[in-house]
Amino acid sequence: MAGGEPLASVRNIGIMAHIDAGKTTTTERILFYTGRSHKYGEVHDGAAIMDWMEQEQERGITITSAATTCNWRNHRINIIDTPGHVDFTVEVERSLRVLDGVVAVFCAVGGVEPQSETVWRQADRYKIPRIAFVNKMDRVGASFHGCLEEIEDRLGANPVAVNLPIGCEETFSGVIDLVEMQALRFDEASLGQVVISEPIPDSLVGESSAARMTLLEKLADFDEGVMEKYLNDQEIPSDELRAALRKATLALEVVPVLCGSAFKNKGVQPLLDAITAYLPSPVDIPPVEGLDKKGETLVRKAGADERLCGLVFKLQTDPYVGNLAFIRIYSGVLRVGDRVTNPRNGKTEKIPKLLKLHANKREEVDCISAGDIGAVAGLKFTGTGDTLCALGDYILLERIQFPEPVIGIAIEPKTKADEKHLAESLSKIAQEDPSFKITVSDETGQTIIAGMGELHLDIIVERLVRDFKVAANIGKPQVAYREKITQPCRAEGRFESMGTGKEQFGHVEIELLPGEKGSGNQFYCCVDEDVIPSAFVETIRKGVLGSFDSGPLVGYPMIDVVARLVGGSYDENKSTDMAFGVAATVASRKAAVQGHPVLLEPVMDLQIVSPEEYLGDVLNDLNKKGAQVQGVEVERGRQLIFAKAPLAELFGYSTDLRSATQGRATFTMIFSEFAVVPDRRAEVTLQKIKGV
């Protein structure tokens, strides 16, 4: 049981889309029609319930994923409304890790936009069943069938319409339910709360029959009962059709597609029906798997009678209750007062307070059961991606993978008195946001904060000033470069201490090799026990890998290096861990200098959507920025430009693009890879970094 309902009637879903597709407005209407809120807030008025941060209300975008709960037809729906802007893709990533189903919202005018594609691929990776909602059917240029085609062509999905629009653009007035074969209209006087069922208009009977036939044909491929009746021209009851549609959706074979206009209060109740009918409950998804102490697989089934297992997927600093840890319980029950284990660090935590969430409002509860999402207040030793399990138990769930930040800015306190406050505030934000990193430059002593994009860092700086009341000076955005060796190299490192204290000795020979792109830094021990005892190898490994935090060119981290311990010696009486650690660091740094190091820069994937008349201007501007245009496609009268460009050339690109297209083009950029800075720019870039 979860909150009193059987597990089969719980839905944990995310609502996600490209920025400005209307997912927060859709969530607001869901809360209104389920009775969770008595009035709905509008994003453009800065009054949306789910966009509760000041920055979200001012900018009209979602920045942090917000959680809420509502009830619909004897089902409980836990909803996470996620950001659509690419700078906050980490919020989508960690939400998807704990959700069972997704509602993908598409703009009927924009169709499958760049960030829609990104979040769809993220959901593909986690194998999450989806339904699609084509929103903004009332807008000029809306095309339901155009959206269906794009979902198939660009996302590689198998969309199947379960709704058809009645009218389009200013004539959009309702939807046709292809399962029940009836028209649904939404009473405007009651703000769409009263749904009126009526026969399908004569003018749409032919189109509706053809669309239902397509639905039956697609389902016949996955359900023998439907196939038999379809081939024999027998009537298929709506319950049987829904069951077949559910089965195919859970198997990721089809994506049911609905339509409406959330802003105009049309089509939201059928979407709620589809969420309960076609998306999975916690018992429909495979049991969660984790590892025991030996690295062998353990399985936990969804059920209150199983042993406790939950995943902390987000941390948030709350002004009233301190640290909040958002948690998905996969098995067992978490109760107030319980003592639990964090297997990652072996620490024991006591559960002082449990909460259910509604945007920024809190409701205290006694327990959170299997299949449910809630929050724990006051955890001391738990971070994002940590598992919590019963005291004395051990199961480690797969951690969430987060992208590396690609842009940084220098930050320093305005006065000496602000120094401690700034450090504490940055530490709290870094705890909440795993895609935000803090480093201190060895050369300058400056604190550098790094994130996923200019907007990401803007929001963090705003939070420092507003929420944490920190007085700080902020530098200009800087690219987060990397370094890499290009040739094999080898060096010795020796540490001998002959002072009055204990004598120490460590001697190693390290070989460095360029690794494959994206392979990460690796270490291998290639010496026998009689050359260097295995007791010292872990210390050597840490010394070598630690040395890669600062490369030989200008001190940026080194990536994709294969390190091999190939020689050395030890003294039975004098050798210590510390001596080998120092020797390993010295050897690695000496070797790296000889490895012909090069500077790497982040290269971004760009997708630009532009009216045709500005195509030449956009391409000329990209050419000036050293971008490589990968291709240009025409889609629904718009030009889609795909390009790769160095991040260093893209600061302020949104302003440049607006100027070139009179504000009519949009773009999305996402990190692609680290690539070698071309020779013609490398020298200038290095001089600029060194301040020469």
Side-chain angles (χ1 to χ4, degrees):
M1 303 282 279
E5 301 86 351
L7 268 179
S9 64
V10 173
R11 300 288 181 272
N12 292 311
I13 66 157
I15 298 190
M16 42 196 76
H18 185 88
I19 192 167
D20 208 29
K23 66 192 165 340
T24 298
T25 303
T26 303
T27 311
E28 296 291 319
R29 297 306 188 269
I30 285 174
L31 297 180
F32 179 63
Y33 294 128
T34 56
R36 190 68 179 83
S37 60
H38 301 297
K39 64 181 182 68
Y40 48 71
E42 301 295 8
V43 174
H44 60 269
D45 292 335
I49 294 165
M50 300 300 280
D51 284 351
W52 55 270
M53 288 173 68
E54 278 181 39
Q55 292 96 323
E56 294 178 312
Q57 292 166 359
E58 287 169 9
R59 294 167 189 259
I61 62 169
T62 303
I63 291 165
T64 181
S65 49
T68 191
T69 298
C70 57
N71 293 285
W72 181 254
R73 301 199 200 286
N74 300 317
H75 287 76
R76 188 149 54 79
I77 306 172
N78 295 320
I79 301 173
I80 296 183
D81 173 34
T82 62
H85 195 286
V86 70
D87 279 16
F88 307 105
T89 192
V90 68
E91 288 283 336
V92 181
E93 187 76 28
R94 58 182 170 189
S95 299
L96 282 170
R97 176 67 177 79
V98 297
L99 293 171
D100 303 332
V102 162
V103 176
V105 179
F106 297 94
C107 171
V109 181
V112 175
E113 295 170 283
Q115 186 63 3
S116 325
E117 210 167 325
T118 304
V119 297
W120 193 274
R121 302 285 174 236
Q122 286 173 297
D124 277 345
R125 200 164 63 247
Y126 288 109
K127 295 184 169 57
I128 297 180
R130 273 147 278 180
I131 59 178
F133 181 62
V134 178
N135 192 25
K136 303 191 178 185
M137 283 302 305
D138 60 308
R139 296 276 287 274
V140 175
S143 170
F144 179 68
H145 294 292
C147 257
L148 276 178
E149 284 173 20
E150 286 184 29
I151 290 170
E152 188 165 8
D153 295 343
R154 292 189 57 191
L155 303 178
N158 185 11
V160 53
V162 293
N163 276 178
L164 281 185
I166 301 173
C168 195
E169 300 180 346
E170 74 277 359
T171 65
F172 176 67
S173 60
V175 300
I176 291 168
D177 180 345
L178 295 175
V179 176
E180 297 287 352
M181 285 304 276
Q182 60 186 11
L184 302 175
R185 297 192 189 268
F186 304 86
D187 175 50
E188 291 186 17
S190 65
L191 299 175
Q193 289 182 86
V194 176
V195 182
I196 302 154
S197 296
E198 55 189 40
I200 296 170
D202 292 343
S203 60
L204 292 173
V205 167
E207 186 187 348
S208 303
S209 300
R212 183 179 166 91
M213 195 63 73
T214 303
L215 170 64
L216 295 177
E217 283 171 2
K218 287 198 174 185
L219 289 180
D221 291 342
F222 310 112
D223 189 284
E224 287 181 13
V226 171
M227 179 182 279
E228 194 177 323
K229 286 180 178 167
Y230 173 69
L231 293 174
N232 294 323
D233 285 333
Q234 290 176 269
E235 183 58 37
I236 302 170
S238 52
D239 285 352
E240 198 172 319
L241 201 51
R242 267 191 287 269
L245 198 46
R246 177 180 180 78
K247 190 166 81 173
T249 305
L250 298 190
L252 305 178
E253 300 285 4
V254 302
V255 176
V257 185
L258 299 95
C259 62
S261 168
F263 182 59
K264 292 290 177 69
N265 309 312
K266 293 178 173 70
V268 178
Q269 292 95 326
L271 174 62
L272 279 162
D273 289 337
I275 289 169
T276 58
Y278 308 129
L279 289 181
S281 73
V283 294
D284 294 315
I285 60 169
V288 70
E289 292 186 354
L291 300 176
D292 65 11
K293 285 181 181 175
K294 296 176 183 173
E296 292 175 4
T297 303
L298 288 174
V299 173
R300 291 277 193 274
K301 292 178 185 171
D305 50 352
E306 286 269 321
R307 299 176 82 175
L308 174 69
C309 172
L311 183 78
V312 172
F313 64 96
K314 174 175 174 166
L315 295 184
Q316 185 175 301
T317 303
D318 186 281
Y320 304 107
V321 294
N323 284 343
L324 268 186
F326 287 59
I327 188 167
R328 161 74 190 261
I329 304 295
Y330 284 100
S331 62
V333 181
L334 184 65
R335 295 183 175 84
V336 172
D338 280 356
R339 296 176 76 81
V340 295
T341 297
N342 180 339
R344 180 182 62 83
N345 54 25
K347 300 277 189 184
T348 298
E349 296 266 26
K350 187 170 181 185
I351 305 299
K353 190 182 286 189
L354 292 173
L355 303 159
K356 281 298 182 64
L357 306 163
H358 179 49
N360 65 333
K361 294 186 173 65
R362 315 278 178 247
E363 175 192 336
E364 282 196 46
V365 291
D366 296 329
C367 65
I368 305 173
S369 297
D372 225 340
I373 291 172
V376 188
L379 294 181
K380 293 183 174 63
F381 312 111
T382 300
T384 300
D386 283 357
T387 308
L388 292 182
C389 55
L391 195 62
D393 196 9
Y394 190 103
I395 178 170
L396 197 58
L397 301 179
E398 184 187 347
R399 286 178 69 80
I400 307 167
Q401 299 300 314
F402 296 112
E404 281 293 307
V406 294
I407 182 172
I409 53 175
I411 186 167
E412 59 183 31
K414 283 194 172 171
T415 67
K416 193 76 178 164
D418 292 316
E419 206 168 285
K420 187 181 176 191
H421 187 30
L422 174 64
E424 286 172 354
S425 303
L426 288 174
S427 175
K428 283 180 182 173
I429 294 173
Q431 253 192 324
E432 289 181 23
D433 184 351
S435 63
F436 171 67
K437 296 280 189 290
I438 309 157
T439 54
V440 177
S441 166
D442 290 340
E443 286 77 23
T444 64
Q446 273 186 320
T447 299
I448 307 291
I449 58 174
M452 301 306 298
E454 288 181 86
L455 179 61
H456 187 197
L457 289 180
D458 276 354
I459 298 294
I460 284 168
V461 169
E462 272 187 36
R463 285 195 64 198
L464 283 170
V465 174
R466 285 186 184 185
D467 302 351
F468 294 95
K469 307 290 187 286
V470 172
N473 296 317
I474 312 296
K476 288 184 177 173
Q478 307 166 358
V479 176
Y481 291 98
R482 296 288 185 270
E483 297 181 26
K484 181 179 178 177
I485 58 167
T486 56
Q487 291 185 8
C489 47
R490 148 187 319 228
E492 284 186 80
R494 185 182 293 270
F495 179 82
E496 290 184 81
S497 167
M498 303 294 211
T500 52
K502 182 187 173 188
E503 291 186 25
Q504 299 190 67
F505 175 81
H507 167 225
V508 297
E509 187 175 358
I510 300 293
E511 181 182 49
L512 303 182
L513 305 164
E516 292 290 319
K517 184 181 279 191
S519 60
N521 294 329
Q522 301 163 65
F523 173 84
Y524 299 99
C525 176
C526 304
V527 298
D528 294 332
E529 179 86 11
D530 59 346
V531 177
I532 294 175
S534 56
F536 296 118
V537 170
E538 178 58 20
T539 303
I540 295 169
R541 185 187 74 83
K542 285 180 180 173
V544 170
L545 296 180
S547 74
F548 297 157
D549 289 345
S550 178
L553 281 176
V554 274
Y556 282 105
M558 293 173 66
I559 60 170
D560 300 337
V561 184
V562 177
R564 301 169 72 225
L565 173 60
V566 293
S569 58
Y570 81 105
D571 185 300
E572 202 166 310
N573 299 314
K574 299 177 187 174
S575 286
T576 63
D577 275 332
M578 192 202 94
F580 271 112
V582 173
T585 302
V586 169
S588 301
R589 289 194 167 148
K590 274 164 63 178
V593 174
Q594 301 162 28
H596 290 260
V598 291
L599 191 67
L600 305 177
E601 66 181 349
V603 173
M604 313 302 282
D605 274 328
L606 278 171
Q607 284 192 31
I608 302 154
V609 182
S610 169
E612 188 172 0
E613 60 263 39
Y614 299 110
L615 178 62
D617 296 327
V618 172
L619 292 175
N620 284 338
D621 187 47
L622 286 173
N623 197 35
K624 287 178 195 165
K625 295 183 186 321
Q628 293 179 331
V629 176
Q630 314 275 295
V632 180
E633 294 177 11
V634 181
E635 200 169 82
R636 291 165 69 182
R638 306 165 302 166
Q639 300 288 328
L640 263 64
I641 302 139
F642 302 90
K644 284 185 186 290
L647 176 62
E649 300 294 325
L650 293 174
F651 290 138
Y653 183 59
S654 54
T655 307
D656 295 346
L657 187 64
R658 275 199 297 272
S659 310
T661 63
Q662 296 184 12
R664 292 178 61 197
T666 60
F667 80 101
T668 300
M669 71 174 175
I670 190 165
F671 172 71
S672 170
E673 61 183 350
F674 281 103
V676 177
V677 180
D679 290 343
R680 60 191 167 77
R681 279 200 294 115
E683 199 171 325
V684 177
T685 305
L686 285 169
Q687 285 176 351
K688 197 186 288 183
I689 293 168
K690 291 174 181 174
V692 176

